[in-house]
Each structure stands twice: as C-alpha cells, then as structure tokens.
Amino acid sequence: MRDAERGSGPITAILIMGFLALVVAAGLVAVGTVARGEGSQAQTAADAAALAGAGRVLDDLPGRLTGGAFTGDDALHDRVRQPGCLNLGQVDAQQLAKSNGATLTSYCWDAFDDEVQVSVRLNHADRGRPATARATAETGFNADDCRIDGSFEAPEPPPPADDQDKSGDKGKDKGKDDDKKPDKPKPVETTLDCGFGPVTVRYDPETKQFSFTNPYQLVDQLRNLKPRLVD
C-alpha cells in the first residue's frame, strides 16, 4: 500500500505541472488573440484615415487646377506639386480615425509622390500599450501627366503697324490711322491631357496664357478617380 502511495506522488506532480502548462498556454493564446484583435482594429483605423485624406485631396484638385490662367505645363504642375508635408485632408483623416476608436498621430500629404501617409494609435488597450498602425494611400492623379497637345504651336502676334506720322502730320486723318491698326490676335483652342483623355483649353496670344474652356470637363474626369491603399 505504501509503495503504491509513493508511486502516485510523481504522477500527481506531473498532472499538476501539465495542468499548469495548459493554463499558461491558454493565457498566452488569449493575450495573443487580444493583441491581434487590437492590431487589426488599429490597422482598420489607419486605412480608413489614409483613404479619407486622399479623398479630400481629390475633392480639392479641381479648384487647384482650374483656378485661373496658366502659362504652360510646368505652371499647372506647380499648382499641385508643393514641397514638404502638406496637411490637406488631415481633418478628414482625424475624423475617420476617431470613428474607428483611434487617434491620428501623424499625417503627411506628399504632393510630389502622390501619397497620403498616416499613423494612428488606439484609444484603449485591454493589455499593455495601445496598438498602433500606419497606412499609405494615393489619389491616382499625377500632375506630371498633364500635358498640352505636343503638336500645338503658339501663334505669332501680328507685327506692329508702321509709324504713320513720319511726315509730321500728327492728328491728320486720325480715323484712317485707327483703321490701319493691326487686329488683336484671336485666342486659339488646343487640348490638355492628364492621362484620362483630352480636355479643351484656350490659348490667348496677347497674355501668352492658357485657360480651361470648360473646367467641368476636367472636373468630371477627376470625379471618376478613387483613392486606394498602397501600403
């Protein structure tokens, strides 16, 4: 009997150790599950914030591009491309992060690379520190793609009228002199293509500037763009 009791001791210890191992393993699984869940929630918030920021940039593009006359391709590009991190769309990103239980911790719209980069932090954590995540979205619009029709040649303005007062008869036959003044050069139309199809623009030889004949042509094209995640 005593031998049997002595033999049961190691077995009991092994069973207890096995039970404790199961408890620890279950705890680790639970912690891992919570961490993965919070990480997934943080990533969802980051993705939503990045897409919201890129969406606001797209909404703002028509006004930037069609606002007034421009001298050529580079001048149009400069309306969009600006150095450094811009905050256009940051408010929209903050709202989407908040609605997903997170706080926006950084925001950058890089106009040169067409990227909206965000980072967020969850507002709560069941265990340890709140989860964080990053995301990058793009608008799908590249200002460098906007080009005036390559076959367009700016018309030359007419030469100035010869001086009609060489004889010293200033003021004489003034009406006739007015008739001899050269006609003002008329604006001519060409096209601009930003990669979505040509839109009509008008070139003014007097000011040497282009303007959109119908800005809504470009606006309609931009409305078809949808921001997308790239990271």
Side-chain angles (χ1 to χ4, degrees):
M1 183 70 177
R2 290 181 179 178
D3 291 340
E5 290 177 353
R6 283 196 296 269
S8 65
I11 295 175
T12 302
I14 292 173
L15 290 175
I16 292 174
M17 291 177 64
F19 176 74
L20 291 175
L22 288 174
V23 171
V24 171
L28 291 175
V29 170
V31 170
T33 301
V34 170
R36 284 193 297 272
E38 292 180 350
S40 177
Q41 183 182 355
Q43 190 60 58
T44 297
D47 292 347
L51 289 172
R56 172 53 60 186
V57 171
L58 273 177
D59 291 342
D60 187 70
L61 279 177
R64 286 175 176 262
L65 292 170
T66 62
F70 56 98
T71 56
D73 296 337
D74 290 338
L76 189 65
H77 301 165
D78 290 342
R79 292 183 176 182
V80 178
R81 297 184 307 176
Q82 299 179 34
C85 283
L86 307 179
N87 61 6
L88 178 63
Q90 182 172 348
V91 173
D92 300 78
Q94 286 175 334
Q95 292 174 346
L96 263 294
K98 183 178 180 180
S99 66
N100 283 276
T103 298
L104 187 72
T105 55
S106 70
Y107 182 90
C108 175
W109 171 39
D110 187 335
F112 277 91
D113 292 334
D114 180 32
E115 287 186 346
V116 172
Q117 303 166 353
V118 306
S119 60
V120 304
R121 181 185 64 249
L122 282 187
N123 294 331
H124 68 278
D126 291 337
R127 297 175 183 272
R129 295 181 178 180
T132 61
R134 296 181 179 181
T136 302
E138 65 180 12
T139 66
F141 175 83
N142 187 347
D144 288 337
D145 291 337
C146 293
R147 297 290 175 184
I148 299 293
D149 184 358
S151 64
F152 173 75
E153 294 184 3
E156 294 291 336
D162 293 335
D163 187 2
Q164 301 295 323
D165 295 328
K166 291 181 179 180
S167 62
D169 296 333
K170 293 183 179 181
K172 186 178 180 180
D173 297 331
K174 185 176 181 181
K176 293 182 179 180
D177 289 342
D178 290 341
D179 292 339
K180 295 178 181 178
K181 289 181 179 179
D183 294 333
K184 290 184 178 181
K186 295 181 179 180
V188 293
E189 290 187 346
T190 183
T191 58
L192 171 80
D193 196 332
C194 292
F196 316 112
V199 297
T200 306
V201 293
R202 181 183 291 111
Y203 178 78
D204 188 338
E206 277 198 298
T207 62
K208 297 182 179 180
Q209 291 185 323
F210 296 89
S211 60
F212 287 91
T213 304
N214 181 6
Y216 289 103
Q217 286 183 309
L218 183 60
V219 172
D220 289 340
Q221 290 181 347
L222 294 176
R223 283 176 179 168
N224 293 325
L225 293 179
K226 302 295 181 184
R228 63 179 183 178
L229 295 171
V230 295
D231 185 15

